Amino acid sequence: MNFPKPGLKKLAFTFPDLTGKPVSLTDAKYQGKVVIVELVGTWCPNCTDQTVFLSPWFNKNKERGVEAIAIGFEQKDDLEYGKYTLGKLRDKYEIKYDILFGGLADKRLVADKLPALNKFVAYPTTIIIDRKGEVREIYTGYTGTVTGQYYSEYEKKFNKVLDELLAEPVPPATYFATQTASR
């Protein structure tokens, strides 16, 4: 199971998006929002199932103060390759959230690139971050529609957690200014 290392509540990373622009959770776009971070690979069928769930969910809920980021770890550590494979995923599933290229799909490398996690276990991994930028939930794997009742339970829990986090107040802008200054 994945969870933050003891004493660490925040996930930090900077990866390029599909245009090559670096994206980080500290970017203004994510401040004060609930953020869903997906660790995926286009080669992973379970990740595709998760994307089939998340993309329409996000499109329906994006006006509620939520953002999503997919970080793709691919079979080649090559941004051009990642732009191609992840771009096809984006287009096929009408993904409207940021897709970043994380590099090679190697569990040890993923753990190195996301050092706040105790370890990296499996694709997909879903990390839910609250409005203060703190990790609140981590799901390893995905329980797709083929699992029937288990999928229904996953969907119900996912929506409950997101509804609760979205109902929390947005911290004042000064909160983020002091958080950034203290790093």
Side-chain angles (χ1 to χ4, degrees), residues 120-167:
F120 180 73
V121 179
Y123 295 95
T125 291
T126 306
I127 304 164
I128 300 177
I129 300 168
D130 69 15
R131 292 183 183 278
K132 292 181 181 176
E134 296 180 358
V135 174
R136 294 284 284 272
E137 294 274 333
I138 300 178
Y139 304 111
T140 302
Y142 177 68
T143 306
T145 56
V146 72
T147 65
Q149 176 187 342
Y150 298 108
Y151 171 77
S152 296
E153 290 170 7
Y154 171 85
E155 184 179 31
K156 186 184 291 184
K157 180 180 180 184
F158 182 89
N159 282 305
K160 181 179 185 291
V161 167
L162 270 293
D163 287 344
E164 289 171 359
L165 292 177
L166 289 166

Side-chain angles (χ1 to χ4, degrees), residues 1-13 15 25 39 108-120 127 129 133-135 138:
M1 174 183 269
N2 290 325
F3 54 86
K5 287 180 181 171
L8 295 177
K9 295 180 183 179
K10 297 195 178 212
L11 188 65
F13 59 77
F15 294 112
L25 283 172
L39 307 180
R108 289 181 313 238
L109 294 175
V110 174
D112 290 345
K113 291 179 178 192
L114 299 168
L117 298 179
N118 69 321
K119 60 184 169 181
F120 180 73
I127 304 164
I129 300 168
E134 296 180 358
V135 174
I138 300 178

Side-chain angles (χ1 to χ4, degrees), residues 51-80:
T51 300
V52 168
F53 168 80
L54 184 61
S55 182
W57 185 95
F58 177 77
N59 292 339
K60 179 180 171 187
N61 290 279
K62 63 185 172 187
E63 302 304 322
R64 296 176 62 202
V66 65
E67 289 290 344
I69 301 171
I71 304 174
F73 292 90
E74 294 298 300
Q75 294 183 325
K76 293 182 185 178
D77 191 8
D78 176 51
L79 180 57
E80 291 305 312

Side-chain angles (χ1 to χ4, degrees), residues 35-56:
V35 182
I36 303 163
V37 178
E38 291 289 334
L39 307 180
V40 300
T42 59
W43 48 268
C44 164
N46 211 17
C47 298
T48 301
D49 290 344
Q50 173 66 14
T51 300
V52 168
F53 168 80
L54 184 61
S55 182

